[in-house]
Structures are given as C-alpha cells and as structure tokens.
Amino acid sequence: MSNLFDTLKAKIDGKGKKIVFPEALDERILTAASQLEADGLVKPVLVGNKEKVEQKAAEVGVDVSGAEILDPANYDEFDEMVASFVERRKGKATEEKAREVLQVANYFGTMLVYMGKADGLVSGAAHSTADTVRPALQIIKTKPGIKKTSGVFVMVREEEKYVFADCAININPDSQDLAEIALASAETAALFDIDPKVAMLSFSTKGSAQSPETEKVSEALKLAKEQNNDLVIDGEFQFDAAFVPSVAEKKAPDSPLKGEANTFIFPSLEAGNIGYKIAQRLGNFDAVGPVLQGLNQPVNDLSRGCNADDVYKLAIITAAQSVQ
C-alpha cells in the first residue's frame, strides 16, 4: 500500500494542488488537512466560518493556519459564483435560487472546483454519496462521450494492484454504460501505474452461455473497441478465464489478455460490490476507494465511517486525478 501512495505523491509533488473539503468542522477532515499541509502535498481549502473552523481545529489540537478557509456567507467573489452557477444550470436555477443553493457547502465547494479556484473536492465524511455526487453531476458534469460517472476500487495486496469497476454507482449498467466504465477504468488504472488489461466479466466465456446478460457484455466490448482500438480489452469472460493463464489457454487461447487481466469490469453493481468485498475479506486485499471517474474535474466521496487516514489518502488520489 505504501508503494501505491508513494507513486501518487510523486505525481503531485510540487504541483501545488488545491483540494476542497466542504466538511470543515469534522475532526477527521481537520486532522487530514493539517497533515496534508504539513507534508506539502496538497493545499487544503476548508469551507466554513473561519472563526468556527479555527476554534474546532484548536479543540482537536491540529494546526490549519496554512489552509485557506472560505465562507459562503462572506465570500468576496460570491456574485461571480452565482452568475456562473446560473449560466451552468442553463435556466434551471434563478439568481435567487442560486444564492440559496450556494450556501450549501457541497455546492459552494463544487463551484470552487468548476471555477478553477481549486483542483478537486473530497466530501462524504458527514454527507451521503448523493449529497456529494449530485452537485458534481449538475456543475462539473461528465467528460465528453461519457454519460454517467462510475466508481472503482483499487485492490492492493503487497505488490499486486487491480482495478474493479463499477462497485459504487450504477446498479444495472447497459452496454453503453459498461463500455464507458471500461474506458474510464483503463484511465484510472494508468493513474495508479497499472498498464491496463481490461476484462469484461460475465458468467460466460466467449459465448459458452447465451442470454441477454452475456449479450450485453459482448456488445459493451464492441462499443469500447470502437472508441479505443488500442486498448487491450476482451470479453465476455468468467473471472478465471481472465485471470488464470492456464484457464485462459483452454477457454480463450486467442485472447490478447492471456489470463493476465488487471482491470475488471463487472456486469452490474451487485456483482462488483460482492466481488470487491470477497477479495477484501477473503483475499486480504486493501480496497482503496471508491474513486469516482468520468467527471471533467475530480470529486471523490468518503465513507461516513472513514478515519483521518482515509481522508488523507483520498485527497492524494483526488490531487493525482487532477494532474492527468
């Protein structure tokens, strides 16, 4: 795990990346922000009343004097932000509504990222996933060619690193969704210094079974190849045919993966969520994530059960995403 984050730290070292933390009164956020500032890795931007944030930091016993503290109720460029929000929402928000919405820390923080005042956002320690992701989808939006964001886990065990997707967002992705997830996951794999070899998973290998579920995966493979013919990707595969060379030789001898896949695209959220938890609990892998992908600028969601170290690590990942 340390090697993984050493690689990411090297990517952001000296870049001066700013990461917004909308939950500035949370002890875990303050502790992580203090450490990030002390390590010189990220410049924290804390959203909240300056006096209250500094008081809470003093109670926690951490130093956030190097962090930028921005208060939606007293922000010099608030009028500019309101105008930008109204324009971005294209008639879905009046100026009056914008002034109300932008008092909400997650919306205010997301607008800071959209306006280039920060490079990414980390939230979710005290908010639901929806509260974190909704402003991102409304304001930052997804990259061209991608309709939906998705969530990956990077599974780490000693020197082994794999990407599992989508394990966090899309319940029942269709073929187009799966193709988008595959392409975005390949980019995420590269961020973690994994040379992506992508397997589209199913309960069938190369037509050994036929059903609407397997056909969905086969169609997704076709769509992904049309968008990036240089990517090493194949399917549909059962997991062992994608991962075990001896099984691959028997079931899919002509596949470019040759049983060496490292980026696994699950056919549904149900499968992905179960799969990463089995690897985590039975295989003793560390699960890093979920890392959100497909957005124009990085926003990432913490678990409400997170600790300060989780916040620290996700901030590093978010900063590294902004370097790409």
Side-chain angles (χ1 to χ4, degrees), residues 1 17 26 48 67 75 117 123 199 203 210 226 245 248 270 307:
M1 180 69 84
K17 293 296 182 178
D26 190 290
Y75 181 52
K117 309 294 184 182
S123 187
F203 57 83
Q210 290 188 330
E226 288 175 355
E270 182 177 46
N307 56 36

Side-chain angles (χ1 to χ4, degrees), residues 1-4 154-164 192-194 239 243 261-262 264 279 283-288:
M1 180 69 84
S2 60
N3 290 340
L4 177 74
V154 182
M155 308 302 295
V156 183
R157 184 176 63 185
E158 297 180 354
E159 300 303 314
E160 296 178 85
K161 294 184 291 186
Y162 307 103
V163 171
F164 284 15
F192 288 91
D193 278 358
I194 299 169
F239 183 85
F243 187 69
N262 53 33
F264 300 95
N284 294 318
F285 277 86
D286 287 313
V288 179

Side-chain angles (χ1 to χ4, degrees), residues 23-188:
E23 300 159 321
L25 294 180
D26 190 290
E27 178 177 336
R28 299 161 294 178
I29 300 297
L30 291 169
T31 301
S34 175
Q35 190 61 53
L36 288 162
E37 174 68 24
D39 291 347
L41 293 169
V42 164
K43 295 182 177 181
V45 179
L46 301 171
V47 177
N49 176 275
K50 185 176 176 64
E51 183 178 340
K52 290 181 179 179
V53 171
E54 290 176 342
Q55 180 181 345
K56 182 65 176 181
E59 293 173 3
V60 174
V62 297
D63 179 13
V64 294
S65 59
E68 189 174 5
I69 303 174
L70 298 179
D71 184 358
N74 186 29
Y75 181 52
D76 290 342
E77 298 178 51
F78 193 73
D79 287 344
E80 178 188 345
M81 180 181 285
V82 168
S84 181
F85 181 82
V86 171
E87 190 279 331
R88 186 61 165 167
R89 296 297 289 140
K90 298 185 184 304
K92 295 180 180 179
T94 62
E95 179 179 334
E96 181 181 5
K97 183 64 175 178
R99 290 185 178 278
E100 177 185 339
V101 168
L102 291 173
Q103 293 299 316
V104 178
N106 276 328
Y107 275 94
F108 179 84
T110 303
M111 280 300 296
L112 290 174
V113 177
Y114 173 67
M115 295 172 67
K117 309 294 184 182
D119 300 289
L121 177 145
V122 172
S123 187
H127 290 89
S128 69
T129 294
D131 288 338
T132 299
V133 174
R134 188 182 300 110
L137 293 177
Q138 291 178 354
I139 298 167
I140 291 174
K141 303 186 179 180
T142 55
K143 294 178 180 178
I146 293 181
K147 295 180 180 179
K148 297 178 181 178
T149 189
S150 53
V152 309
F153 280 87
V154 182
M155 308 302 295
V156 183
R157 184 176 63 185
E158 297 180 354
E159 300 303 314
E160 296 178 85
K161 294 184 291 186
Y162 307 103
V163 171
F164 284 15
D166 176 0
C167 303
I169 303 292
N170 297 287
I171 295 174
N172 187 27
D174 61 20
S175 295
Q176 182 62 52
D177 297 334
L178 287 176
E180 292 178 2
I181 292 166
L183 296 173
S185 298
E187 291 185 10
T188 300

